Amino acid sequence: MLTGPSKKQDPEKQPDHVAPTPVEIDPVQLVDEPPTAEELETLPRVCDKIPYAIFFIVVAEVAERFTYRSLTGPMQNYIQNPFHDTDHPGALGKGQATATAIGYFFTCWCYLTPIFGAIIADSWLGRLKTILIGTTTATVGVLILFITSIPLCLEKGAGFPGLIVALFIIGLGAGGIKSNVGPLVAEQYVNKKARVSVDSDGRRVIIDPDITIQTIFSRYYWIMNIGACSGLIATWLELRVGFWGTFLIPLCIYAVAVIVLVLGRHKYVTRPAEGSIVPKAVQALWIGFRNNRNMDMAKPSNMMEQSGTSNVSWDDHFVDEIKVALTACRVLPLFWLSHGTSIGNVISLAAEMKTFGLPNDLLAGSVNPLSILILIPIFDRFLYPALRRMNIQFLPITRISFGFLAMSGAIALAAGLQSLVYSSPSESINFFSIFPIYVLTAVSEILAFVSSMEYAYTKAPRSMKSLVASINLLLCAVGSLLGLAISPTSEKPRVMVQFASLSGIMFIAAIAFYVLFSKYNKEEEKMNSVERGTDDDDTTQA
């Protein structure tokens, strides 16, 4: 039996057949070979090395999420109940109707303003400057809210006008943040082409940019949900310290975010704003619509062939980008429509159960974000790589379809528990039984929402990435409005019918979605190559 040299041997006298000690190879160091057609079919695909420094940009999103959750939870009590209420914490005493209306306004405002932030970033300022301005603006808004929530200011009557001004400014700031952080994080990864490398085990593998972008968005969403856990702190401060204490924490976090962004502004890869492309896109869409909805007719080459002239300011590639962007937008609506119209009633369901003296909204504000923090690493490090090793292509359209199925399961479970509540003695069911609903909702978000963000980024035109991302967020506001529209059914006994109906609709939607759009899985790399067409040419340092 052949053995390696003993420790006493002179290294210079080792026999030729003895293999050298294996050296760990960093895949990122071997990136020179483009894959052949055969290698694309046979070699395993892996994620590239991702520098963690790129995620410092997410501090703005963490601050925004922390503030949003810190406000939307306590704000109902802050507006509804009077100052010095002996039974419940309060400040303004405006009543439940006013509190609910302002809550809906704030949610819709925060998901509407990203449209404006996207247009500003894509057309004039660029993403990093827009994020920095948005973060600074939101900091000012939270500062106004904090100052006017101090007891002395509340007694002087500054609370309500301060709240309205603050919410308006905070929403404006959120618009500059939400539509730009995800695309800017993804843009820090500049290697856009697949290449052959060698992993630490000596295997030839393909460094896949699509898998890398998928991982980047998963980690981005994971970090963002750290801020979403703020509800655990906000409600305690509201009760034990006062609303000024609740609002002080997000103010400090926003201030830190501003400092981090200012100090790191020269370290990020950015693209210059490309001027307003929205008018060009609208004109091209109109030409396609007039020609039997055939977008190819808006290509200058076809216009020259048809009429001998082409008096437009875009090229054929721009039209291809618009076609791909339209596909990206199609995958976004259904998730938010279901998410926004169903989950809120689970809090009311918990109120009908045995809560052991705990708040009935405790699980809503904690289990969902904590589940996301636990599950995303499991998906990224174990589930997705295992599927790739088995040669199972778990592409975005498939992931979104499974996300819809997870949502269907969550709502079906809510329907079942609601039925048990109706048939059981009062409050005899443990409210921890709704725990799986929020876990399934977290799975749905990871599969459907994160995949939709990834899909929107990779398929949208380079000059419209923030705009397409903001459309995704706008559909969340649409979901909230639809939830408001069907809210009359959110009462006994019709709420159980609402749960069951929504579960069935989501199940059918999942199947229909996959049947209609799975063809885009087959065109995944082709569509991504359209988006990458000129991506390597004009990145700069901020």
Side-chain angles (χ1 to χ4, degrees), residues 501-514:
S501 300
L502 285 171
S503 177
I505 290 170
M506 280 307 304
F507 182 82
I508 295 171
I511 304 301
F513 180 85
Y514 185 79

Side-chain angles (χ1 to χ4, degrees), residues 195-420:
R195 56 214 189 272
V196 176
S197 182
V198 178
D199 67 9
S200 57
D201 295 324
R203 299 180 306 163
R204 288 174 65 82
V205 295
I206 293 177
I207 304 294
D208 192 319
D210 296 332
I211 292 174
T212 306
I213 291 295
Q214 174 189 338
T215 305
I216 286 174
F217 273 103
S218 291
R219 293 181 183 177
Y220 155 62
Y221 198 64
W222 185 90
I223 297 171
M224 188 176 77
N225 270 274
I226 295 175
C229 294
S230 62
L232 297 171
I233 303 173
T235 52
W236 183 86
L237 288 172
E238 169 194 350
L239 183 64
R240 299 297 182 183
V241 178
F243 290 100
W244 67 269
T246 299
F247 303 146
L248 176 61
I249 303 301
L251 173 62
C252 295
I253 291 179
Y254 254 129
V256 171
V258 172
I259 293 171
V260 170
L261 290 173
V262 169
L263 293 179
R265 66 189 184 280
H266 297 303
K267 299 179 181 179
Y268 304 125
V269 175
T270 61
R271 299 184 186 280
E274 301 186 17
S276 180
I277 50 84
V278 175
K280 291 195 299 183
V282 171
Q283 186 181 356
L285 286 167
W286 175 244
I287 293 173
F289 181 79
R290 285 187 312 173
N291 288 274
N292 297 320
R293 291 174 291 185
N294 182 1
M295 283 302 301
D296 285 334
M297 297 307 297
K299 292 183 176 181
S301 60
N302 288 334
M303 295 171 72
M304 285 289 294
E305 185 177 322
Q306 293 288 327
S307 60
T309 181
S310 174
N311 188 24
V312 294
S313 58
W314 59 80
D315 56 16
D316 286 4
H317 185 75
F318 180 74
V319 177
D320 286 333
E321 287 183 325
I322 293 178
K323 290 167 61 179
V324 174
L326 291 175
T327 302
C329 292
R330 288 178 188 175
V331 306
L332 309 179
L334 289 177
F335 173 79
W336 282 124
L337 297 184
S338 60
H339 191 279
T341 56
S342 61
I343 300 304
N345 285 325
V346 176
I347 296 176
S348 299
L349 171 62
E352 302 177 62
M353 298 177 171
K354 188 175 183 179
T355 63
F356 307 99
L358 297 172
N360 63 301
D361 60 351
L362 175 67
L363 298 183
S366 57
V367 175
N368 179 263
L370 290 175
S371 296
I372 290 173
L373 294 179
I374 294 170
L375 290 173
I376 282 181
I378 294 174
F379 278 52
D380 275 354
R381 295 183 179 275
F382 301 103
L383 177 61
Y384 294 152
L387 292 174
R388 288 195 292 268
R389 285 194 296 270
M390 292 184 288
N391 201 28
I392 296 176
Q393 299 296 312
F394 204 40
L395 296 173
I397 297 298
T398 307
R399 296 200 302 271
I400 293 171
S401 300
F402 273 91
F404 288 171
L405 288 175
M407 178 61 74
S408 174
I411 305 172
L413 182 56
L417 289 173
Q418 187 72 68
S419 177
L420 285 176

Side-chain angles (χ1 to χ4, degrees), residues 8 24 34 45 94 110 114-115 153 159 181 193 213 251 280 284 294 312 334 369 378 402 404 458 492 540:
K8 295 182 180 180
E24 183 175 345
R45 301 186 178 223
K94 297 295 183 180
C110 285
I115 291 287
C153 295
V181 170
K193 295 182 179 180
I213 291 295
L251 173 62
K280 291 195 299 183
N294 182 1
V312 294
L334 289 177
I378 294 174
F402 273 91
F404 288 171
T458 56
K492 296 180 181 180
T540 60

Side-chain angles (χ1 to χ4, degrees), residues 32 55 71 158 168 176 210 272 283 315 404 409 417 427 456 464 522-523 538 542:
D32 296 330
F55 293 106
L71 267 57
F168 180 79
D210 296 332
Q283 186 181 356
D315 56 16
F404 288 171
L417 289 173
E427 289 190 1
M464 298 177 67
K522 301 175 183 178
E523 302 177 15
D538 56 357

Side-chain angles (χ1 to χ4, degrees), residues 33-45 195-197 204-206:
E33 295 183 46
T36 64
E38 181 182 358
E39 288 172 331
L40 285 171
E41 293 291 329
T42 58
L43 292 183
R45 301 186 178 223
R195 56 214 189 272
V196 176
S197 182
R204 288 174 65 82
V205 295
I206 293 177

